[in-house]
Amino acid sequence: MSNIKLGIIGGGQLGSMLCQAAKKLDIKTVIYSDDAEAPAQNFSDEFICAKYNDNEKIYDFAKKVNVITYEFENIPYETLNELNKLKPVSPKPSVNRLIQHRLAEKDFINKLNIRTTRYVHVESKEDLLPLNDFLPGILKTTTMGYDGKGQYPIKNIDQIDSLNINFNNEYILEKLVKLKKEISVIITRFNNNKYEIYEPIENTHEDQILRRSKIPAEINEKIFEQSKEWAIFIAEELKYIGTLCVEFFIDRNDNLYVNEIAPRVHNSGHLTINAFNVSQFENHVRAVCSLEQIPLKKISNAEMINLIGDQIVPYRNNPKISDNQFLFDYLKKDIKEKRKMGHLTTLK
Ligand code: ADP
Ligand code: MG
């Protein structure tokens, strides 16, 4: 019987899956979210609904738990930093601050001599005008972006006025990579050179949202090894504790680029729940709660499909799935276009 209580900031599906993993390990969970309808409250032992800058509620939350983690990266640095003075926050607030800012994140990766897309900082319309060299490209907000939100694909400079870009935000402009494939590598780091790493996962996006993930990824040996090496290097450099995901691009000449890092469990790793002896969620809980590290074993090849918007409806009405399939309904009340509502994993 463990006496650990884990505090999780954020109440979406990743929070739900962390709560389920914690329950399996006999760890109690408290979810803190600013969304009264946060689906993770269906899976946690306790739920606190308050703004992320509500000092009093933040303090109450810290008092209740032994360890704190988070399931999304867009949390004010101040909040994590204050919490960290009360109870250990993993991954460290400084890691979150670095990664939640696309420019700082990309500068950090380049300093490690790891290839990223070409990018440039953009603060005004005037900054954009001379940047033909980066087109076609994608303009991305430096903070708060996810699932393609805050992104403007730009083919030529003449388009800029019609895009109604809000220059109160800061951006980076990234040169478009001629993509052959996208992959991700999920790693859980426990301590110095102590980690469990999953094999690369092949991802397909539609409208900048992840649609499906599968293992094995159809990639060559060099990319298989290089992507894992880079993920290990990044996790070690950050002295990271917990599960981290590195998203990669592969271009048509088989060059590998780091696209971005997620300082948390990741959508592309949902298949680890059914395809491995220990899921990315369980590994995260084990690492942040300083539990035993268990050698990772693959059970099966697998494919995961995200159920986006009303794609969940047929599964809610009449879930006809076979023995090798696992359906996850995130129990979100409102079905919205482009909203991740659930997923289906098929073991192969
Ligand atoms: P988010 O934070 O929303 O996940 P990403 O930067 O990962 O943002 O972009 C989402 C998706 O958009 C990527 O997975 C990829 O499919 C596409 N994309 C983004 N940037 C580029 C790029 N520079 N070249 C080609 N495709 C891109
Ligand atoms: Mg991404």
Side-chain angles (χ1 to χ4, degrees):
M1 185 77 195
S2 115
N3 288 320
I4 305 173
K5 231 184 202 184
L6 173 63
I8 301 169
I9 308 173
Q13 61 270 19
L14 299 173
S16 302
M17 291 183 249
L18 283 170
C19 288
Q20 286 171 297
K23 186 163 272 171
K24 199 179 137 192
L25 298 168
D26 215 3
I27 287 173
K28 298 251 182 303
T29 47
V30 183
I31 289 284
Y32 188 108
S33 168
D34 65 357
D35 174 7
E37 299 201 330
Q41 65 189 285
N42 296 304
F43 301 91
S44 64
D45 294 287
E46 279 182 65
F47 176 58
I48 298 174
C49 180
K51 296 260 180 283
Y52 294 119
N53 58 5
D54 182 335
N55 285 338
E56 209 174 303
K57 288 283 169 45
I58 284 283
Y59 187 76
D60 290 346
F61 171 62
K63 267 199 309 199
K64 281 179 188 286
V65 301
N66 308 100
V67 187
I68 296 167
T69 189
Y70 42 93
E71 59 103 72
F72 77 118
E73 54 261 53
N74 296 323
I75 305 162
Y77 172 69
E78 281 313 314
T79 303
L80 290 184
N81 205 30
E82 284 309 307
L83 279 169
N84 200 32
K85 291 176 192 162
L86 304 166
K87 295 287 163 64
V89 174
S90 283
K92 282 178 299 184
S94 57
V95 166
N96 184 275
R97 180 170 56 178
L98 178 78
I99 294 179
Q100 71 174 212
H101 195 281
R102 282 191 203 275
L103 184 63
E105 176 192 28
K106 284 207 159 52
D107 286 347
F108 161 75
I109 299 165
N110 276 282
K111 278 202 194 103
L112 302 181
N113 273 324
I114 292 175
R115 191 187 298 113
T116 64
T117 56
R118 286 184 59 217
Y119 61 98
V120 56
H121 192 197
V122 171
E123 288 176 293
S124 66
K125 188 178 159 190
E126 289 65 43
D127 283 352
L128 259 181
L129 297 176
L131 295 177
N132 252 320
D133 208 25
F134 286 81
L135 301 182
I138 304 187
L139 193 69
K140 301 180 180 180
T141 51
T142 49
T143 56
M144 304 297 275
Y146 68 99
D147 287 346
K149 292 189 173 63
Q151 299 195 6
Y152 304 86
I154 303 180
K155 283 203 179 106
N156 59 60
I157 291 292
D158 306 340
Q159 262 179 296
I160 289 173
D161 284 329
S162 63
L163 289 174
N164 291 322
I165 299 161
N166 175 2
F167 282 105
N168 291 324
N169 295 327
E170 261 182 67
Y171 296 88
I172 59 167
L173 177 63
E174 252 185 72
K175 178 100 173 172
L176 206 65
V177 172
K178 292 198 173 108
L179 288 180
K180 178 171 167 185
K181 261 182 209 251
E182 294 187 65
I183 59 169
S184 55
V185 173
I186 293 175
I187 179 168
T188 308
R189 184 175 177 276
F190 288 75
N191 212 325
N192 290 349
N193 289 312
K194 282 196 186 320
Y195 52 83
E196 296 298 329
I197 187 163
Y198 297 88
E199 68 182 69
I201 300 164
E202 181 169 335
N203 301 316
T204 314
H205 291 78
E206 285 169 16
D207 297 330
Q208 282 132 300
I209 301 180
L210 182 67
R211 178 75 180 118
R212 58 180 77 221
S213 297
K214 66 164 189 174
I215 48 168
E218 289 170 49
I219 51 176
N220 65 39
E221 188 68 18
K222 192 172 157 221
I223 289 177
F224 184 96
E225 291 305 330
Q226 178 87 90
S227 59
K228 285 174 64 175
E229 250 171 55
W230 281 353
I232 294 166
F233 188 33
I234 288 169
E236 287 298 328
E237 282 294 309
L238 292 170
K239 299 199 177 358
Y240 195 91
I241 302 292
T243 296
L244 167 140
C245 175
V246 184
E247 297 178 15
F248 296 90
F249 293 150
I250 303 168
D251 74 11
R252 292 181 196 161
N253 297 318
D254 276 338
N255 293 308
L256 185 65
Y257 306 74
V258 168
N259 168 29
E260 62 174 351
I261 305 168
R264 53 172 170 79
V265 287
H266 193 261
N267 190 171
S268 63
H270 290 357
L271 53 74
T272 64
I273 296 174
N274 310 102
F276 288 85
N277 63 333
V278 183
S279 73
Q280 63 163 349
F281 302 98
E282 181 177 337
N283 261 329
H284 185 72
V285 175
R286 283 181 178 278
V288 302
C289 295
S290 309
L291 304 184
E292 186 196 354
Q293 181 182 345
I294 293 177
L296 201 55
K297 277 196 218 94
K298 179 163 150 180
I299 296 166
S300 172
N301 289 331
E303 179 174 42
M304 183 240 32
I305 300 178
N306 268 339
L307 302 172
I308 297 168
D310 55 16
Q311 289 167 351
I312 191 74
V313 175
Y315 290 97
R316 278 188 176 167
N317 292 342
N318 184 13
K320 273 197 200 123
I321 55 170
S322 20
D323 289 349
N324 61 335
Q325 291 188 310
F326 300 86
L327 176 67
F328 294 77
D329 182 338
Y330 302 154
L331 308 178
K332 294 179 184 174
K333 287 195 188 117
D334 296 338
I335 298 178
K336 289 186 202 149
E337 199 197 355
K338 298 196 174 178
R339 188 174 200 202
K340 291 171 179 167
M341 301 299 297
H343 74 261
L344 181 71
T345 298
T346 305
L347 298 184
K348 306 226 155 168

